[in-house]
């Protein structure tokens, strides 16, 4: 080993390094303020009494000992478990048809299954009320049972969760190695045996991950339980009742912390699964190409047709109902349900609020997310700062919107917090929404950045070009499609989200999705359906615009052609 | 090139680089002189790229100093050093035209547009792509992209050109062609150049001096002829070209025993009688013509197999009496024809004493 005592070298940081480190520090601070500190306040609140004194686990004990509260814990678990058990097999077959069969019209089927993503979770619930509620068209189908309660929640959740499950499973199923199937064929394995020994093991992690994601989605969703829950209490509605109804913030915090548990668990499992998934597909793998098989393809087409049309039907019901004069007695068409001023003091103003909020979230959120991801991926040295920012950016994935919203109440209302001026403003709604959907955006940006040549920055440095110039001139233009993805993702989610902002809006800043909740609460179901339709139309337009725009990018930017 | 006189342009002293527990460079010292073409050669993981990146300031060493042109650059970030670099991936900016790529470093220095345009045209002509300017990198072949990357690196007239496996992503024919062009260009510009490669043929063809590296240390520095003719270690001997390694022991002054046979060697490499040794000879140095019976270091061999390689054939030979050693020798096509050599043929070869290299045998 070394015998000479050569001087140890302390690398001198360049101006670029210093700028990037300063930005990283700013980012860490930003994520600390919008994610970590609010959650910390929530956590400490759950151990305090109303005067703010520390009382240990008393709140938790009281929670467990109050049957009315603890019952909803079991209710939530029940609803989530049943929904997961229904959604995962359905979505698996659907995804299997999309990836492993020679079914025709795959893009159409994929599009049909994705419809629910464009709407607030409230929409399928509203449709259920129109179909099976007290004045429901198909009320008889339930043999006199009311739709309000577990049945309604589970049915609506199945629709709402279906696209999420399908997307994960499509990804998992498309990672298949043709050679494995050819070997199995060559060895004379039966179709069933191939399915059990090759297909299923290959998507095992995808299935686990899906199950946890769906479970968490159901447990943390607020809108559906609010609309069709009736007297069937779940955690998500409890938190709302405790905080908004009874002003019992401490108990709200306890329910919030309990809500965090399944989400954290699912997050941990997903991380674990993601790590194992890496080795699944080597660079040498041959992509799987399904071969035609008449009976299988026909059966799968029939299945997808039933599911796809049901989804379309459920959504169409709300759209249709929103144009109906008096459901179900006077089915003549009308536009009166779109005179939102009759149901809400802000009228169409809520829609304007939503547009402002979604646009601001998309613009500022994308800028912040992309810059943050760039700093994490490309800055040199300062490993601690990079690690901290990345970790903080991963937290929101594990935090249900309701919990984040509640934490914001606590944090931004705290006495002495100078950021308190933001409370009740549109700015806070935007900040909250960016934080709520930060992780997926961050990961999308990170994936795009990882695909860039790692030496762009080194080349720039050798040419003495400052890093910010290369960022704007090279990195951003190349990543434009991913940047567009992030912006649209943030916009659509900001349009449809209910859970986090429900604690944070004021009478002037109320967004459209919340107006739906209010209208439904006051019995204006048709108005609610109308507003939901407007939101769906907006999200769909934006999605279509994205498609057109990315086509345009690949056509007008000559260098993208290969 | 007689560049190795006077003060070195690049002075590397006691360079050590550790990644956690792993030592990638272990106390490396090296001088590079102005206008020299130096090639770092070694298997993957030998530390050659680490050394290059330390010189560039991209991954700064843990300890040790680097002086460039009399200036201590040891701790400086890349932007404060003076070099141009071409990576294996070329790292061309895909969204910029060739013109904009080559002019990238010039524009940000606030040079007037006309001056930038003239310089870019000059550089593209220099690398033989005068008409590529308006194209995008994806529209160029691999070899053309490589030239653009080279032009971009040269644009700012750096004092030092660093090439990180610049040819390894190309197919064999293009590689050979570009190799020659690269050498001519470097001579013409007289720019001090360091290239990293794992391809010994490339190193022999291009370098003024080759630095052979292994396990984070330098095994040998020398001209291509020195490296090939007098490798300093069995590793160098094995890595550069093909070599026969024969287990031997030193049995007396100028004499080694291989199996039951004795061979005379010119150079004992400081080994004393009784030590275990490796005796080496290149396949093309085995004398196969006109060997008289009883000549020095002669032995009769039988051809085990022949591998036809175009202008010559590589033969696996074994001593006819079975007492060893086994050898690989290159036989010219003429010889094959004249002596009607084929598998099973026996004939006389000799191992010339001045071509035998001897190394201590390390377990």
């Amino acid at each position: 080993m070394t015998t000479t005592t050569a001087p140890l070298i302390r690398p001198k940081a360049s101006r670029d390094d210093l700028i990037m480190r300063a930005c990283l520090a700013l980012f860490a601070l930003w994520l600390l303020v919008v994610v970590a500190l609010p959650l910390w306040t929530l956590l400490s609140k759950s151990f305090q009494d109303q005067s703010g004194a520390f009382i240990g686990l008393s709140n938790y004990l009281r929670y467990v000992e109050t049957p009315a509260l603890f019952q909803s814990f079991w209710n939530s678990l029940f609803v989530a478990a049943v929904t997961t058990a229904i959604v995962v097999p359905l979505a698996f077959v659907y995804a299997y048809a999309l990836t492993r069969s020679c079914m025709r019209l795959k893009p159409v089927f994929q599009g049909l299954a994705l419809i629910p993503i464009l709407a607030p979770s409230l929409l399928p619930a509203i449709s259920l009320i129109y179909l099976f509620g007290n004045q429901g068209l198909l009320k008889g189908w339930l043999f006199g049972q009311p739709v309000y309660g577990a049945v309604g929640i589970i049915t609506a959740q199945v629709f709402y969760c279906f696209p999420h499950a399908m997307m994960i499973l499509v990804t998992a199923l498309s990672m298949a190695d043709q050679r494995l199937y050819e070997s199995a064929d060559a060895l004379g394995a039966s179709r069933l045996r191939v399915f059990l020994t090759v297909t299923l093991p290959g998507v095992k992690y995808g299935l686990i991950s899906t199950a946890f994601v769906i479970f968490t989605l159901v447990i943390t969703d607020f809108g559906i339980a609010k609309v069709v829950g009736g007297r069937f209490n779940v955690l998500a509605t409890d938190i709302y009742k405790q905080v908004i109804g009874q002003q019992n913030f401490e108990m709200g915090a306890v329910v919030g912390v309990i809500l965090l548990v399944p989400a954290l668990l699912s997050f941990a499992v997903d991380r674990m699964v993601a790590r194992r998934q890496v080795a699944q597909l080597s660079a040498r793998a041959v992509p799987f190409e399904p071969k035609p098989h008449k009976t299988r393809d026909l059966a799968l087409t029939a299945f997808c047709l039933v599911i796809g049309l049901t989804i379309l039907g459920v959504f169409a019901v709300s759209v249709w109902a929103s144009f109906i004069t008096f459901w179900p007695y006077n089915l003549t068409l009308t536009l009166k349900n779109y005179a939102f001023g009759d149901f809400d003091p802000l009228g169409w103003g809520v829609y304007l609020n939503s547009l402002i909020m979604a646009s601001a979230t998309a613009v500022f959120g994308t800028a912040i997310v992309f810059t943050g991801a760039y700093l994490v991926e490309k800055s040199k040295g300062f490993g601690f700062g990079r690690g901290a920012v990345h970790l903080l950016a991963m937290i929101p994935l594990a935090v249900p919107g309701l919990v984040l919203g509640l934490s914001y109440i606590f944090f931004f209302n705290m006495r002495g917090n100078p950021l308190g001026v933001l409370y009740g403003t549109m700015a806070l709604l935007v900040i909250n929404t960016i934080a709520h959907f930060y992780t997926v955006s961050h990961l999308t940006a990170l994936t795009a950045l990882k695909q860039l040549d790692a030496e762009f920055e080194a080349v720039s440095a050798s040419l003495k070009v400052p890093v910010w110039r290369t960022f704007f001139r090279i990195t951003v233009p190349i990543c434009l499609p991913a940047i567009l993805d992030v912006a649209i993702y943030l916009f659509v989610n900001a349009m449809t989200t209910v859970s986090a902002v429900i604690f944070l809006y004021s009478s002037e800043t109320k967004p459209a999705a919340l107006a739906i909740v209010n209208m439904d609460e006051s019995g204006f179901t048709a108005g609610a359906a109308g507003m939901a339709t407007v939101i769906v139309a907006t999200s769909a337009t934006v999605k279509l615009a994205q498609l057109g725009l990315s086509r345009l990018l690949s056509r007008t930017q000559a260098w993208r052609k290969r | 090139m007689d560049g190795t006189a006077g003060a070195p342009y690049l002075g590397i002293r006691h360079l050590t680089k550790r990644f956690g527990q792993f030592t990638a460079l272990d106390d490396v010292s090296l001088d590079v002189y102005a206008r020299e073409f130096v090639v770092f050669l070694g298997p993957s993981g030998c530390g050659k790229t680490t050394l290059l990146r330390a010189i560039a300031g991209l991954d700064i060493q843990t300890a040790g100093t680097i002086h460039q042109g009399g200036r201590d650059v040891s701790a400086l970030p890349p932007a404060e050093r003076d070099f141009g670099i071409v990576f294996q991936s070329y790292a061309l900016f895909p969204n910029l035209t060739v013109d904009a790529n080559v002019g990238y470093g010039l524009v940000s220095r606030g040079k007037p547009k006309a001056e930038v345009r003239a310089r870019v045209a000059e550089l593209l002509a220099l690398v033989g792509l005068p008409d590529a300017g308006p194209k995008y990198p994806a529209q160029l072949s691999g070899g053309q992209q490589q030239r653009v990357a080279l032009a971009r690196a040269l644009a700012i007239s750096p004092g030092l050109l660093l090439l990180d496996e610049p040819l390894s992503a190309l197919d064999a024919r293009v590689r050979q062609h570009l190799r020659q062009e690269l050498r001519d260009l470097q001579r013409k510009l007289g720019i001090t150049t360091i290239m990293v490669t794992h391809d010994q043929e490339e190193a022999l063809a291009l370098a003024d001096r080759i630095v052979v590296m292994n396990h984070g240390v330098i095994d040998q520095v020398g001209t291509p002829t020195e490296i090939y003719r007098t490798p300093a270690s069995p590793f160098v001997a094995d890595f550069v070209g093909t070599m026969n390694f024969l287990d031997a022991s030193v049995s007396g002054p100028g004499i080694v025993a291989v199996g039951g046979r004795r061979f005379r060697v010119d150079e004992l490499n400081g080994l004393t009688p009784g030590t275990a040794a490796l005796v080496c000879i290149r396949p093309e140095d085995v004398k196969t013509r006109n060997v008289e019976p009883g000549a020095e270091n002669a032995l009769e061999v039988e051809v085990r197999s022949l591998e036809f390689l175009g202008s010559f054939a590589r033969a696996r030979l074994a001593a006819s009496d079975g007492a060893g050693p086994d050898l690989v020798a290159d036989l010219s096509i003429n010889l094959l024809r004249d002596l009607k050599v084929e598998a099973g043929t026996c004939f006389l070869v000799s191992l010339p004493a001045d071509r035998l290299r001897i190394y201590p045998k390390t377990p």
Side-chain angles (χ1 to χ4, degrees):
Chain A
M1 281 270 118
T2 320
T3 47
T4 48
T5 47
L8 289 182
I9 298 295
R10 266 186 71 92
K12 183 188 161 204
S14 66
R15 194 191 46 186
D16 287 350
D17 291 339
L18 294 177
I19 292 174
M20 287 175 90
R21 283 174 205 179
C23 289
L24 261 178
L26 270 178
F27 254 89
L29 189 68
W30 143 264
L31 285 171
L32 218 55
V33 169
V34 304
V35 178
L37 290 180
L39 287 174
W40 174 252
T41 328
L42 172 97
L43 201 63
S44 42
K45 202 79 168 179
S46 73
F47 295 104
Q48 291 168 1
D49 64 11
Q50 302 207 324
S51 64
F54 181 79
I55 50 164
L57 288 170
S58 305
N59 288 330
Y60 289 87
L61 278 178
R62 198 148 54 85
Y63 177 83
V64 177
E65 283 164 1
T66 314
L69 286 174
F70 199 47
Q71 181 58 41
S72 35
F73 175 75
W74 293 113
N75 285 352
S76 273
L77 288 190
F78 170 72
V79 167
V82 175
T83 308
T84 309
I86 298 174
V87 168
V88 175
L90 287 181
F92 180 82
V93 178
Y94 204 93
Y96 188 86
L98 287 176
T99 50
R100 301 291 180 88
S101 79
C102 292
M103 180 173 75
R104 283 158 184 258
L105 298 177
K106 281 183 187 169
V108 175
F109 283 116
Q110 182 141 22
L112 277 179
L114 288 177
I115 294 176
I117 283 192
L118 302 174
S121 62
L122 303 148
L123 196 143
I126 292 172
S127 292
L128 283 188
I129 289 175
Y130 276 115
L131 290 172
F132 306 108
N134 293 334
Q135 265 91 42
L137 275 185
L138 311 172
K139 201 180 163 199
W141 288 22
L142 292 182
F143 307 109
Q145 295 288 318
V147 70
Y148 300 94
V151 177
I153 296 179
I154 291 169
T155 317
Q157 289 290 5
V158 167
F159 285 101
Y160 165 62
C161 294
F162 188 80
H164 298 275
M166 185 206 68
M167 282 191 291
I168 305 176
L169 289 170
V170 162
T171 313
L173 278 163
S174 38
M175 289 200 288
D177 191 340
Q178 175 92 34
R179 296 171 308 172
L180 279 181
Y181 287 86
E182 284 168 356
S183 317
D185 268 353
L187 294 169
S190 70
R191 288 185 156 269
L192 181 68
R193 184 133 181 260
V194 172
F195 182 79
L196 291 178
T197 54
V198 180
T199 310
L200 269 189
V203 295
K204 187 171 61 188
Y205 295 123
L207 279 170
I208 296 172
S209 174
T210 312
F212 273 92
V213 166
I214 300 307
F215 194 86
T216 311
L217 268 180
V218 177
I219 280 213
T220 57
D221 178 71
F222 166 76
I224 288 176
K226 180 86 178 63
V227 174
V228 290
R231 295 208 183 147
F232 188 82
N233 287 330
V234 294
L235 287 171
T237 42
D238 271 0
I239 215 178
Y240 179 70
K241 281 180 196 151
Q242 291 294 331
V243 173
I244 303 291
Q246 305 177 13
Q247 302 281 307
N248 186 347
F249 292 106
E250 291 69 30
M251 197 45 82
V254 168
V255 183
V257 173
I258 292 171
L259 262 183
L260 261 178
V261 174
L264 279 174
L265 201 68
S266 144
F267 176 74
V269 169
D270 197 59
R271 292 281 89 198
M272 235 160 60
V273 166
R275 213 168 299 150
R276 300 235 181 130
Q277 192 80 48
V278 176
Q280 280 275 305
L281 203 64
S282 65
R284 285 237 196 117
V286 181
F288 181 81
E289 295 245 0
K291 292 192 196 81
H293 183 277
K294 217 168 197 177
T295 29
R296 179 201 63 193
D297 292 347
L298 265 178
L300 286 174
T301 308
F303 175 85
C304 288
L305 210 58
V306 170
I307 299 273
L309 289 182
T310 311
I311 292 174
L312 187 66
V314 163
F315 278 76
V317 165
S318 276
V319 177
W320 181 41
S322 72
F323 291 105
I324 294 297
T325 313
F326 189 51
W327 188 275
Y329 306 109
N330 180 357
L331 294 183
T332 49
L333 297 180
T334 175
L335 279 176
K336 77 175 171 66
N337 298 324
Y338 285 84
F340 296 128
D342 297 350
F343 319 117
D344 192 293
L346 286 183
W348 276 88
V350 293
Y351 179 60
L352 187 66
N353 279 342
S354 265
L355 280 185
I356 294 173
M357 183 180 119
S359 310
T361 304
V363 172
F364 295 111
T366 309
I368 291 171
V369 164
F370 191 77
T371 315
Y374 179 82
L375 291 169
V376 167
E377 178 65 20
K378 300 290 181 185
S379 54
K380 296 186 70 181
F382 200 34
F384 173 76
R386 281 157 57 196
V389 169
H390 187 60
L391 192 73
L392 284 168
M394 296 308 290
I395 294 178
L397 192 63
V399 180
L402 279 174
V403 178
L404 192 67
L406 188 56
S407 328
Y408 270 46
I409 300 191
F410 294 149
F411 181 68
F412 289 92
N413 262 339
M414 215 163 44
R415 230 170 295 137
N417 185 346
L419 295 169
V421 293
L422 288 172
Y423 196 76
T425 64
M426 179 60 87
L428 191 66
L429 290 186
V430 172
I431 291 173
N432 175 268
T433 312
I434 295 174
H436 185 182
F437 300 106
Y438 199 92
T439 309
V440 174
S441 320
H442 176 73
L443 291 177
T444 309
L446 215 54
T447 311
L449 286 166
K450 277 184 196 297
Q451 284 164 358
L452 298 187
D453 194 308
E455 309 295 4
F456 282 165
E457 280 68 27
V459 165
S460 305
S462 81
L463 296 173
K464 320 285 184 275
V465 178
V467 67
W468 51 266
R469 199 180 134 81
T470 302
F471 176 74
F472 286 114
R473 188 98 171 79
I474 310 292
T475 315
V476 169
I478 297 180
C479 292
L480 222 46
I483 291 175
L484 197 63
D485 272 353
V486 171
I488 301 295
Y489 169 83
L490 287 174
F491 186 94
V492 170
N493 274 300
M495 264 333 265
T496 58
T497 187
V498 173
S499 55
V501 287
I502 196 158
F503 295 121
L504 303 174
Y505 73 93
S506 70
S507 49
E508 288 91 49
T509 58
K510 186 202 286 179
L514 278 163
I516 301 178
V517 176
N518 292 155
M519 289 183 210
D520 174 73
E521 222 166 18
S522 336
F524 303 125
T525 316
M531 190 59 87
T533 304
V534 171
I535 292 180
V536 173
T538 310
S539 313
T541 311
V542 169
K543 271 276 179 201
L544 288 176
Q546 179 196 12
L547 275 182
L549 215 57
S550 38
R551 285 246 173 96
L552 197 73
L553 279 187
S554 61
R555 214 157 2 124
T556 52
Q557 299 195 296
W559 60 270
R560 288 195 195 274
K561 281 184 206 134
R562 283 279 142 183
Chain B
M1 183 147 288
D2 60 346
T4 51
Y9 174 69
L10 192 70
I12 297 164
R13 291 289 170 275
H14 304 299
L15 219 61
T16 296
K17 173 75 180 175
R18 289 193 197 87
F19 295 104
Q21 289 294 307
F22 176 68
T23 305
L25 287 178
D26 191 0
D27 197 22
V28 167
S29 295
L30 177 71
D31 284 335
V32 176
Y33 294 86
R35 308 173 76 83
E36 213 182 0
F37 197 132
V38 169
V39 174
F40 295 171
L41 175 68
S44 58
C46 71
K48 56 190 192 297
T49 298
T50 311
L51 183 54
L52 189 87
R53 292 180 73 89
I55 294 170
L58 295 169
D59 288 311
I60 290 178
Q61 67 279 12
T62 317
T65 59
I66 301 177
H67 285 77
Q68 182 181 356
R71 191 166 69 117
D72 184 356
V73 297
S74 310
L76 297 184
E80 292 175 35
R81 303 191 187 197
D82 178 21
F83 69 95
I85 191 163
V86 177
F87 290 101
Q88 184 176 359
S89 64
Y90 315 139
L92 291 176
F93 304 125
N95 60 324
L96 301 186
T97 60
V98 167
D99 275 339
N101 262 288
V102 176
Y104 195 70
L106 300 171
V107 171
S108 79
R109 295 184 170 189
K111 295 242 158 97
K113 265 191 180 154
E115 197 180 312
V116 171
R117 217 176 301 137
R119 176 84 176 127
V120 168
E122 179 195 344
L123 284 159
L124 286 178
L126 186 72
V127 297
L129 291 172
D131 304 321
K135 292 188 180 163
Y136 287 100
Q139 296 167 308
L140 303 179
S141 71
Q144 289 170 326
Q145 292 185 27
Q146 204 268 346
R147 291 167 202 230
V148 174
L150 188 62
R152 182 178 64 182
L154 291 172
I156 53 168
S157 312
L160 178 65
L161 180 62
L162 302 178
L163 308 168
D164 185 5
E165 305 247 8
L167 302 172
S168 61
L170 303 169
D171 56 58
R173 208 165 259 283
V174 182
R175 192 156 60 204
Q176 272 189 4
H177 180 64
L178 271 179
R179 192 158 85 190
Q180 209 44 55
E181 280 191 14
L182 192 60
R183 186 75 183 99
D184 294 346
L185 191 66
Q186 192 269 340
R187 282 266 163 79
K188 186 163 146 197
L189 299 175
I191 183 173
T192 313
T193 303
I194 297 176
M195 181 171 101
V196 161
T197 185
H198 61 266
D199 182 340
Q200 40 112 1
E201 204 181 302
E202 207 168 283
L204 292 172
L206 280 170
D208 291 320
R209 284 195 301 152
I210 297 176
V211 176
V212 186
M213 298 184 65
N214 192 23
H215 296 312
V217 296
I218 294 178
D219 260 33
Q220 188 175 6
V221 181
T223 64
T225 326
E226 283 166 1
I227 298 280
Y228 192 81
R229 283 275 166 236
T230 54
S233 66
F235 169 76
V236 177
D238 192 29
F239 194 75
V240 181
T242 312
M243 186 67 96
N244 286 297
F245 287 96
L246 312 177
D247 275 326
S249 65
V250 180
S251 52
I255 305 288
V256 292
V258 178
R261 272 176 237 283
R262 287 165 169 264
F263 293 99
R264 211 183 61 72
V265 294
D266 278 2
E267 173 59 59
L268 261 187
N269 208 3
L271 297 185
T272 50
T275 28
L278 281 174
V279 169
C280 303
I281 186 164
R282 299 240 179 244
E284 70 271 25
D285 287 340
V286 176
K287 194 175 172 210
T288 52
R289 268 185 189 264
N290 309 327
V291 181
E292 300 296 330
E296 183 181 73
N297 290 357
L299 75 159
E300 198 194 40
V301 292
E302 180 190 332
V303 178
R304 284 286 161 83
S305 64
L306 279 171
E307 190 186 355
F308 180 63
L309 293 169
S311 55
F312 68 96
R314 185 150 287 175
R316 283 182 49 230
L317 309 174
S320 310
D321 58 4
D326 291 350
L327 281 176
V328 173
D330 289 347
L331 310 182
S332 73
I333 301 301
N334 281 335
L335 179 85
L336 294 186
R337 215 167 17 224
D338 298 351
L339 300 184
K340 298 199 171 36
V341 173
E342 51 187 42
T345 313
C346 289
F347 66 111
L348 275 177
V349 300
S350 80
L351 312 181
D354 62 334
R355 292 298 161 88
L356 287 173
R357 302 263 316 151
I358 180 162
Y359 303 99
K361 186 176 165 126
T362 45

